[in-house]
């Protein structure tokens, strides 16, 4: 009987504490799968999210490092009809991905596909493959056997208006809200 009373005295405060933490959101910003909840991140702050890699899912630690802006002359070389891209410049998002959990990736990683650049509240226009030759960016096709713990910088290039003042990099985890990193005109890197 003494054991039962002692167990109840210990269990009651633990149960109350568990209920209190549940009511306050559990004390963290990760869901039950260990991934971060979407929303705005500070410059340099990472987020943990799950991405679909073909038939498997991989959890990545993701950080948008910077956005580099190009020139209208560079845009003219990237597009087949430069007249349609008048007033637009390339914006390259450099995003660092660390393979946190999941199987080794033997195919081209898709981690960067959910990355998007927004300029002054509007989504830019994707230029496929343009970032593969940008210094500091790795081509997904060159990454072989990406194992847990390894980090790679993958980039995406979007066309944005040349007078853009505020840039955002959005990365959406599988079935979740996007993570957003903001870059003011004074924060952004330019080539």
């Amino acid at each position: 009987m003494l054991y039962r009373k002692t167990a109840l005295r210990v269990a009651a405060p633990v149960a109350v504490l568990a209920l209190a933490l549940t009511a306050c959101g559990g004390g963290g910003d990760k869901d039950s799968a260990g991934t971060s909840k979407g929303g705005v991140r500070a410059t340099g702050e990472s987020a943990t999210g799950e991405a679909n890699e073909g038939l498997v899912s991989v959890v990545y630690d993701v950080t948008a490092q910077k956005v580099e802006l190009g020139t209208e002359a560079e845009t003219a070389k990237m597009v087949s009809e430069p007249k349609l891209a008048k007033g637009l410049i390339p914006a390259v998002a450099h995003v660092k991905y660390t393979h946190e959990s999941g199987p080794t990736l033997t195919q081209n990683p898709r981690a960067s596909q959910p990355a998007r650049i927004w300029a002054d509240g509007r989504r830019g226009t994707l230029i496929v493959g343009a970032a593969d030759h940008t210094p500091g960016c790795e081509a997904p096709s060159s990454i072989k056997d990406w194992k847990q713990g390894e980090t790679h910088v993958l980039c995406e290039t979007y066309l944005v208006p040349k007078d853009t003042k505020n840039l955002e990099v959005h990365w959406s985890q599988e079935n979740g809200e996007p993570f957003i990193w903001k870059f003011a005109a004074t924060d952004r890197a330019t080539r």
Side-chain angles (χ1 to χ4, degrees):
M1 188 73 148
L2 179 63
Y3 171 75
R4 189 173 190 182
K5 285 183 183 179
T6 304
L8 285 174
R9 283 187 200 140
V10 171
V14 171
V16 170
L17 178 61
L19 286 173
L21 287 176
T22 302
C24 295
D29 68 344
K30 294 194 176 201
D31 64 22
S32 60
T35 57
S36 305
K37 293 180 182 174
V40 177
R41 295 290 190 252
T43 302
E45 183 181 4
S46 68
T48 304
E50 188 174 355
N52 182 347
E53 291 287 356
L55 299 175
V56 299
S57 288
V58 171
V59 174
Y60 292 101
D61 184 68
V62 181
T63 306
Q65 298 178 310
K66 63 182 176 179
V67 176
E68 289 184 331
L69 295 177
T71 64
E72 287 184 271
E74 289 174 309
T75 299
K77 294 175 186 175
M78 292 179 176
V79 298
S80 59
E81 295 186 47
K83 290 179 187 175
L84 297 177
K86 188 168 177 59
L88 300 175
I89 58 174
V92 181
H94 293 245
V95 184
K96 181 176 75 170
Y97 298 90
T98 301
H99 186 311
E100 291 291 317
S101 69
T104 297
L105 299 176
T106 57
Q107 303 292 322
N108 291 355
R110 299 179 184 175
S112 67
Q113 288 179 352
R116 313 252 187 289
I117 296 177
W118 289 68
D120 294 334
R122 297 186 64 172
R123 188 171 135 185
T125 303
L126 177 66
I127 302 293
V128 177
D132 291 356
H133 306 291
T134 302
C137 300
E138 298 176 66
S141 60
S142 69
I143 299 171
K144 305 293 182 214
D145 298 323
W146 191 351
K147 298 172 182 63
Q148 286 183 24
E150 291 180 354
T151 299
H152 295 281
V153 175
L154 302 175
C155 301
E156 292 292 335
T157 301
Y158 280 75
L159 292 180
V160 300
K162 68 180 179 181
D163 59 349
T164 294
K165 299 200 179 3
N166 296 296
L167 296 165
E168 295 179 355
V169 176
H170 293 211
W171 186 83
S172 298
Q173 63 182 334
E174 196 68 27
N175 300 317
E177 292 295 316
F179 301 109
I180 301 167
W181 291 267
K182 295 184 177 197
F183 298 89
T186 57
D187 297 338
R188 65 189 184 199
T190 56
R191 290 190 270 171

